[in-house]
């Protein structure tokens, strides 16, 4: 079964390949593999207030373009002391529309630390959230189909990972807010973990492992 | 595998039994079967702005109480001309806190028709939405487990059914807004369909059939 993974983030794609790569018979395509050009920008497809709506918006858009079963995710950071912010705005938390890549990550991380300057360390509780939306509507005749063709049905896989926001960044792995997100169980930030460790603990790992289980079961049951 | 269906609505439960009843080896329990008393009221567990959050809130609450794999749904009606209202407030759309049962349905339906009095017939487009949330965290050692124990993972199944809101109610089947919700493909309201027809077309049917497929695949793959 072919599955389009609708992201342009190389960090995300690498994590997702690691997890979904174990599903026998699953062929993963990214947007380049599927011959889908650079527009629209990912940001234009995720204007909504919930991870679910943004993930579905992207999955449905690229499913319509490709005709393939498609998964897209939206993810972010919810900080309790900030009333759940930055949430779905995590990628654009710091001001500055022209920022991109590592510069954007750095600005976001600095902004996060500034916003929490007056919050006691033990109250800097937060969670990483990832929602993967799976749509499959056009796969008429596909013996692996989980969903009914054209049935307006979406399956969402939501994973969460609790963390404490720390002031001084630690570690060089991962991306985004990882150097400031301390896993309270391991005493390490997500940027201090190996890719395998991060996938085992992370919001994205949890969401995509549930998807992997469902896809693997579906293909085994129909084999 | 035991599955707790966390609802007190007999109308919902009957529809859900019809769909999930086909999964081999699945034993469905309602809240009474699981020995769970009448409090808290279902309304208190669904204060959120999205179907997903409400469904998860109920599923997690009753999962914690029962220790069983649990599914809960939240559903409602989104009317385009009302900016998506009543949405997650569908059950409590009409004023009147003391209304219940059929009286509540009637008041909601009248309120809906009144709010659309100035909207042209062809602009009364709407959709029924159902989100079923599945949580399973405690099933350590359960060979049917889809999710990792204690992994903060939820799977959501979202089904939608397009409809036109009509002024004069038609049909005696179903419940809620069904007599005013016209399926544009069949020219019949959801209250004019047999239970089997309604399940084939409805938002709840779509969401729970996707769940049924995933559960059946999971049990077959692990048999």
């Amino acid at each position: 079964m072919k599955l389009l993974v609708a992201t342009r983030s190389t960090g995300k794609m690498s994590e997702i390949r690691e997890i979904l790569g174990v599903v026998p018979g699953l062929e993963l395509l990214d947007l380049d593999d599927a011959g889908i050009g650079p527009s629209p920008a990912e940001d234009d497809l995720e204007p909504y207030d919930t991870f679910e709506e943004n993930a579905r918006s992207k999955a449905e858009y690229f499913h319509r373009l490709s005709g393939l079963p498609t998964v897209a995710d939206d993810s972010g950071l919810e900080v309790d002391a900030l009333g759940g912010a930055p949430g779905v705005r995590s990628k654009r938390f710091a001001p500055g529309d022209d920022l991109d890549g590592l510069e954007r990550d750095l600005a976001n991380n600095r902004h996060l630390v500034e916003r929490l300057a007056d919050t006691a360390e033990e109250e800097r509780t937060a969670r990483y959230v990832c929602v993967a939306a799976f749509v499959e509507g056009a796969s008429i005749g596909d013996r692996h189909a989980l969903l009914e063709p054209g049935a307006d049905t979406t399956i969402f896989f939501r994973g969460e990972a609790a963390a404490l926001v720390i002031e001084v960044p630690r570690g060089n792995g991962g991306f985004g807010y990882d150097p400031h997100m301390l896993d309270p169980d391991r005493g390490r930030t997500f940027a201090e973990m190996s890719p395998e460790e991060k996938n085992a603990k992370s919001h994205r790992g949890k969401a995509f492992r549930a998807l992997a289980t469902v896809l693997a079961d579906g293909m085994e049951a129909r084999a």
Side-chain angles (χ1 to χ4, degrees), chain A:
Chain A
M1 171 182 163
K2 286 183 180 179
L3 176 66
L4 176 62
V5 182
T7 184
R8 298 199 186 280
S9 157
T10 50
K12 276 191 193 180
M13 191 67 201
S14 152
E15 291 183 5
I16 293 168
R17 276 195 189 282
E18 188 74 28
I19 297 164
L20 294 183
V22 305
V23 180
L26 189 66
E27 184 188 343
L28 297 180
L29 288 82
D30 65 19
L31 291 171
D32 283 342
D33 298 331
I36 294 172
S39 64
E42 202 166 340
D43 286 359
D44 294 337
L45 294 168
E46 41 188 33
Y48 300 103
D49 289 333
T50 66
F51 297 112
E52 280 82 4
E53 284 173 294
N54 288 327
R56 184 165 72 139
S57 163
K58 286 191 283 186
E60 290 191 339
Y61 180 85
F62 290 110
H63 168 65
R64 279 196 302 275
L65 275 188
S66 67
L68 294 170
T70 300
V71 64
D73 86 324
D74 191 33
S75 50
L77 167 66
E78 293 180 343
V79 180
D80 294 319
L82 303 177
V88 293
R89 312 276 170 251
S90 294
K91 277 185 287 244
R92 293 147 281 167
F93 190 32
D97 285 346
D98 53 335
L99 295 174
D100 214 348
L102 283 178
E103 226 184 348
R104 158 61 57 196
D105 284 354
L106 265 174
N108 284 339
N109 283 326
R110 284 201 199 105
H111 192 62
L112 177 65
V113 169
E114 281 167 22
R115 292 282 303 272
L116 289 173
D118 297 331
T119 305
E121 264 183 44
E122 65 276 15
E123 283 166 13
R124 296 179 181 183
T125 53
R127 75 201 58 77
Y128 264 142
V129 178
C130 173
V131 174
F134 175 75
V135 296
E136 194 189 34
S139 21
I140 295 172
D142 184 334
R143 68 191 176 87
H144 297 313
L146 282 169
L147 302 177
E148 299 159 63
D152 296 319
T153 314
T154 313
I155 309 185
F156 296 103
F157 302 85
R158 185 187 183 101
E160 299 189 357
L164 278 171
V165 180
I166 58 169
E167 194 170 338
V168 181
R170 283 165 38 184
N172 297 309
F175 58 95
Y177 296 93
D178 286 350
H180 291 271
M181 292 289 276
L182 184 78
D183 174 356
D185 294 337
R186 303 205 172 190
R188 285 208 290 280
T189 69
F190 283 94
E192 290 178 306
M193 299 179 189
S194 70
E196 294 72 28
E197 269 183 298
K198 186 184 167 189
N199 268 344
K201 294 287 293 185
S202 79
H203 55 313
R204 187 167 296 109
K206 291 169 184 178
F208 278 86
R209 271 197 302 281
L211 170 64
T213 302
V214 165
L215 292 175
D217 288 353
M219 287 194 280
E220 192 177 326
R222 289 172 188 74

